[in-house]
Amino acid sequence: MVIKCKAAVAWEVDKPLSIEEVEVAPPKAHEVRVKIVATGICGTDDHVLKGSIPNIDYPIIPGHEGAGIVESIGEGVTCVKPGDKVIPLCLPQCGECSFCLNPDTNCCLKTHLHESQNLMPDKTSRFTCKGKAIHHFLWISTFSEYTVMPDSAIARIDDDAPLDKVCLFGCGFSTGYGAAINTAKVKPGSTCAIFGLGGVGLSVVVGCKSAGASRIIGIDINKDKFTKARELGATECINPQDFKKPIQEVLLEMTGHGVDYSFEVVGHTDTMVAALVSCHMGSGTCVLVGTPPLGSQLSFDPLLLFTGRTWKGCLIGGWKTKDSIPKLVSGYMEKKFNPDVLITHTLPFDKINEGFELLQSGKSIRTVLVF
């Protein structure tokens, strides 16, 4: 049956989210309806509000970093059952496409970057508000108390997992941690630089420390983030505004010949190039983690790559999500890592716009909303 619940709707670009009563239709074949218990606010959701994510249609219910409990399943669903604790996957893993069958990529062909996820696979919506169909975001729309997604975009997790903590594994922590572990493959004893110390950047710090990096340099224009960065493993923190010269020159002086691994977790083209320049000219690896602005273009000297640098992209930490997210949650339950410290604010869902204000002002690392 149809469920009525509260959701945050972005009716148009550059407007605050509106808390509305929405109608959520039952799941169709190979779909799952989930009661969201907690959801994080990620910078990508802010990009949705600002209209800087490609191929997004409005009105839309954003949100992609959630955790919840299966309410009902459609015909043919075998991976979860009602009552299971789950994490919706903003990057699906269908298990059938050529990309899923390729061990060297996690970019399933059902991703929004390949084919729009504004509607369910049958090109209809499960959300209605005031008689109008509302678009989905990345198929999962976690800013709704109930939401529907394909069974390729959901992963069952430990029954004992605290949903208000492990929701971060839906995007932020998994992305940053995996950027260091999977994409860069940070080696013990190496030197790393992380541009941007938000929730994802701090998760990169955790990954670098876990991989055994001996020197981890955190970079941010907000000094308030340095204490948390050091707590998580950064050995040094620097503010580009404290120097008269470009930050890449500062890093080259600090390290001699550049860092072994650099990570751009801001999403700005100028810091992307700075991160590339800052890594070792003969063997450095630069990983792009931050989401770039819509329509942006890079301009750089190709000789930067000619000498041996490697420039790589990273999507959700390189994890094949359906296989890996449950294992990461199990690792959390075994206390192998503790992303809880990334959560600086927990708010009731109705205060979602306050959560976005905290993000935009740099006063929060991660805000988690609870229904």
Side-chain angles (χ1 to χ4, degrees):
M1 63 182 213
V2 171
I3 291 177
K4 292 184 178 181
C5 68
K6 68 174 64 174
V9 179
W11 288 101
E12 55 185 309
V13 173
D14 287 330
K15 298 289 185 182
L17 288 163
S18 178
I19 302 295
E20 306 280 4
E21 181 182 77
V22 299
E23 296 178 343
V24 185
K28 295 185 180 181
H30 292 286
E31 294 179 358
V32 181
R33 188 161 61 182
V34 174
K35 176 178 172 55
I36 298 294
V37 173
T39 180
I41 296 178
C42 176
T44 301
D45 298 311
D46 193 44
H47 292 328
V48 174
L49 302 190
K50 294 175 179 176
S52 56
I53 297 289
N55 303 319
I56 293 295
D57 295 326
Y58 299 81
I60 189 170
I61 298 174
H64 66 286
E65 190 180 77
I69 298 169
V70 174
E71 180 271 334
S72 58
I73 59 175
E75 182 183 349
V77 174
T78 59
C79 59
V80 294
K81 63 182 184 304
D84 284 347
K85 286 186 175 181
V86 293
I87 288 181
L89 304 175
C90 59
L91 174 64
Q93 184 186 347
C94 72
E96 299 173 348
C97 70
S98 60
F99 282 33
C100 281
L101 298 176
N102 182 346
D104 297 327
T105 181
N106 68 326
C107 188
C108 173
L109 285 176
K110 294 186 183 298
T111 176
H112 181 77
L113 295 173
H114 185 262
E115 183 177 346
S116 172
Q117 294 173 328
N118 296 323
L119 298 170
M120 288 288 101
D122 69 352
K123 306 306 178 186
T124 63
S125 174
R126 302 294 168 269
F127 295 119
T128 306
C129 181
K130 300 176 181 177
K132 184 178 181 64
I134 307 297
H135 294 96
H136 297 251
F137 178 55
L138 303 180
W139 276 347
I140 59 178
S141 292
T142 61
F143 289 170
S144 177
E145 188 176 8
Y146 286 86
T147 185
V148 178
M149 64 212 65
D151 57 4
S152 61
I154 193 168
R156 182 180 180 275
I157 59 172
D158 293 46
D159 292 336
D160 296 332
L163 299 179
D164 60 337
K165 307 297 184 187
V166 300
C167 57
L168 268 61
F169 287 88
C171 178
F173 181 76
S174 301
T175 296
Y177 184 76
I181 300 296
N182 296 329
T183 309
K185 294 181 170 58
V186 170
K187 295 179 181 177
S190 60
T191 299
C192 303
I194 297 94
F195 289 70
L197 297 175
V200 179
L202 291 174
S203 300
V204 176
V205 171
V206 174
C208 291
K209 181 180 179 182
S210 177
S214 61
R215 194 174 182 188
I216 303 172
I217 305 168
I219 305 158
D220 204 291
I221 59 173
N222 184 350
K223 292 183 176 181
D224 293 342
K225 296 180 179 179
F226 291 174
T227 300
K228 186 79 71 174
R230 291 190 179 97
E231 179 185 345
L232 290 169
T235 56
E236 301 150 84
C237 293
I238 56 176
N239 182 343
Q241 296 176 339
D242 290 341
F243 303 92
K244 294 182 178 179
K245 60 182 65 176
I247 192 63
Q248 55 266 40
E249 293 183 19
V250 174
L251 288 167
L252 290 171
E253 289 180 1
M254 289 175 64
T255 58
H257 296 288
V259 299
D260 299 305
Y261 306 96
S262 63
F263 301 85
E264 201 282 347
V265 203
V266 183
H268 291 170
T269 54
D270 55 347
T271 47
M272 290 176 182
V273 176
L276 178 66
V277 176
S278 70
C279 68
H280 191 284
M281 68 179 294
S283 60
T285 296
C286 175
V287 180
L288 303 185
V289 188
T291 304
L294 180 65
S296 57
Q297 299 288 323
L298 277 169
S299 177
F300 69 100
D301 184 349
L303 284 177
L304 291 169
L305 299 176
F306 193 76
T307 56
R309 291 181 179 91
T310 300
W311 216 354
K312 307 181 77 171
C314 175
L315 187 61
I316 313 296
W319 305 105
K320 286 187 180 289
T321 51
K322 207 172 182 71
D323 295 338
S324 301
I325 299 303
K327 295 176 183 176
L328 287 171
V329 172
S330 294
Y332 164 82
M333 298 298 290
E334 295 165 4
K335 296 181 168 42
K336 292 181 178 178
F337 30 71
N338 181 26
D340 293 6
V341 295
L342 301 175
I343 301 172
T344 52
H345 299 78
T346 301
L347 299 174
F349 181 73
D350 289 345
K351 293 188 176 181
I352 186 169
N353 285 315
E354 181 180 324
F356 274 93
E357 290 170 6
L358 289 167
L359 171 69
Q360 294 159 357
S361 64
K363 294 178 180 178
S364 68
I365 300 298
R366 252 321 182 263
T367 295
V368 170
L369 305 167
V370 291
F371 283 94

